[in-house]
Amino acid sequence: MRILSGIQPSGALHIGNYLGAIQQYIALQHGNEAYYFVADYHALTSVRDASKLRGYVQDVLLDLLSLGLEPEKATVFVQSDVPETVELAWLLTSVTPMGWLEKCVSFKDKIAQGIPAEHGLFAYPVLQAADILLYDADVVPVGQDQKQHLEITRDIAERFNNVYGKTTPVFKLPNAKILSTVAVVPGVDGRKMSKSYGNTIEIFDDPKAIEKKCKRIVTDSTPMEDPKNPETCPVFNLLKLFATADETNQWSVRYKAGGMGYGEVKKRLGELISHRFAEAREKRHSWAADPVRLEEVRRMGAERARKTARIVLDRARNACGLG
Ligand code: ADP
Ligand code: TRP
């Protein structure tokens, strides 16, 4: 199967990105044809500093490789190294009703807050559809927040097929793959963890910084001696994503029994997170020390991605009468 997913270089990656998306990327690179990319065209909608953007792109590449993407198995690339993407986006734009995009949450939210939105933000879902359709992707591993984008992608593909591909469909219809237990990982304030909310625990923070972030997780004011409800506690909800089932059960019993302070479980959560990413932190040092190797991975990824992209783009151009 063809797998494809992208991640924006708009800040340091966090454990929500890892649990919701990246761990799926890693698992699916085995036995499939996988494409994973750094979505720098998309990041232009929020990052407006050229050197910052370049830095974030390098960082996300390093992060993905250190976490376990294997460039021999998966095609790892940078979105803007495949300019075919923007050409396909234009073909798709031409069949996409405005109404579909007006419904999309990131655009709608901005307008609701009275903030003027750029056309790039309005057209963001079309560019994302181009990313996906350009590689004939079957499966797109993502977190829950991307569900709407995947639905629009299918709608756009169907619309294009109806207009131009009545006899032979031009695009394959992709499916989102969302893991239900980690579809929405909570941040330190209990809302969805997101770079844009400043509520993240970063994957590559050092153990001290991780411990500090865990201490900031918002908990209620139930006194130490009273029983507590693990299910509504953001610390417990994060802990169960990192601890073994046995350990999770033990903490659940302790919550309900009372006599346990939140400080103790926060400390344990910090340890579990640091431990989970210890190997990746080591690997990141060695990738970071070898920029030539990193550049080669990027070049090779772009070459492979463009080969696939060209075939699909030509099919789409031909279907609508270009060239
Ligand atoms: P952010 O919201 O922090 O900017 P991105 O939009 O770059 O994150 O998301 C990259 C990937 O990580 C997407 O597949 C997204 O669905 C997933 N993801 C982001 N935040 C979470 C979260 N809190 N829980 C689960 N998955 C998430
Ligand atoms: N919009 C996605 C996000 O914010 C990133 C993205 C861009 C993406 N293109 C994609 C995800 C294609 C999956 C497939 O997380």
Side-chain angles (χ1 to χ4, degrees):
M1 275 204 297
R2 281 267 174 90
I3 314 294
L4 172 128
S5 198
I7 194 153
Q8 285 196 78
S10 51
L13 298 188
H14 54 76
I15 61 175
N17 296 138
Y18 178 79
L19 295 169
I22 301 168
Q23 66 169 348
Q24 300 201 69
Y25 303 177
I26 297 164
L28 291 166
Q29 71 184 331
H30 305 287
N32 293 300
E33 191 182 338
Y35 293 83
Y36 300 121
F37 65 93
V38 183
D40 57 347
Y41 283 139
H42 278 107
L44 291 175
T45 58
S46 59
V47 183
R48 292 289 159 72
D49 177 312
S51 66
K52 235 185 201 166
L53 182 59
R54 281 199 192 93
Y56 287 156
V57 169
Q58 289 295 97
D59 282 347
V60 173
L61 274 178
L62 280 174
D63 291 353
L64 292 176
L65 295 166
S66 316
L67 287 165
L69 288 192
E70 297 172 34
E72 308 77 34
K73 292 216 165 79
T75 298
V76 179
F77 65 102
V78 175
Q79 185 186 30
S80 68
D81 289 344
V82 185
E84 286 78 4
T85 313
V86 278
E87 184 172 352
L88 183 61
W90 181 255
L91 307 193
L92 300 180
T93 285
S94 310
V95 300
T96 304
M98 302 266 284
W100 293 1
L101 303 177
E102 280 159 0
K103 278 191 327 208
C104 285
V105 280
S106 33
F107 173 73
K108 227 170 60 181
D109 284 359
K110 223 168 184 176
I111 298 298
Q113 290 171 48
I115 307 170
E118 277 87 14
H119 178 253
L121 185 72
F122 185 66
Y124 184 114
V126 185
L127 182 60
Q128 183 159 344
D131 291 331
I132 299 170
L133 301 177
L134 192 56
Y135 299 92
D136 279 337
D138 298 293
V139 171
V140 184
V142 283
Q144 176 76 24
D145 58 356
Q146 296 301 310
K147 194 165 179 257
Q148 187 181 43
H149 286 155
L150 264 294
E151 283 163 6
I152 292 223
T153 298
R154 288 176 64 96
D155 290 344
I156 294 175
E158 272 187 318
R159 168 68 71 104
F160 196 96
N161 285 345
N162 277 334
V163 176
Y164 294 118
K166 284 238 160 55
T167 42
T168 334
V170 181
F171 296 121
K172 220 180 213 179
L173 299 191
N175 288 300
K177 187 164 182 296
I178 300 171
L179 298 178
S180 59
T181 49
V182 285
V184 186
V185 174
V188 297
D189 59 358
R191 294 188 295 167
K192 175 196 115 96
M193 186 175 290
S194 171
K195 290 177 214 123
S196 43
Y197 295 158
N199 63 355
T200 59
I201 299 174
E202 286 151 26
I203 300 171
F204 289 97
D205 267 347
D206 61 57
K208 270 264 154 295
I210 291 178
E211 193 185 328
K212 238 166 110 183
K213 293 259 176 68
C214 289
K215 274 195 188 143
R216 277 182 39 208
I217 300 175
V218 178
T219 43
D220 61 30
S221 52
T222 315
M224 165 113 167
E225 25 338 320
D226 289 10
K228 299 174 180 64
N229 182 356
E231 303 310 326
T232 56
C233 175
V235 188
F236 182 83
N237 283 328
L238 281 171
L239 181 119
K240 69 182 182 198
L241 303 175
F242 289 92
T244 60
D246 263 3
E247 182 174 351
T248 305
N249 274 334
Q250 285 167 24
W251 282 106
S252 172
V253 170
R254 291 198 56 202
Y255 265 75
K256 290 176 189 155
M260 180 209 77
Y262 287 121
E264 197 185 335
V265 62
K266 285 178 178 178
K267 187 161 185 309
R268 179 60 186 147
L269 174 62
E271 284 167 10
L272 285 166
I273 296 173
S274 295
H275 182 72
R276 168 75 78 97
F277 298 114
E279 195 187 322
R281 272 198 301 280
E282 287 306 310
K283 271 207 207 155
R284 201 175 190 286
H285 291 307
S286 62
W287 272 107
D290 197 348
V292 175
R293 185 165 159 232
L294 187 68
E295 201 42 49
E296 179 54 20
V297 167
R298 178 172 176 170
R299 200 197 51 75
M300 199 176 74
E303 202 176 285
R304 290 211 300 245
R306 285 192 85 171
K307 223 182 240 165
T308 305
R310 191 70 243 170
I311 296 169
V312 182
L313 179 61
D314 283 344
R315 203 164 73 211
R317 282 174 54 98
N318 184 44
C320 58
L322 297 178

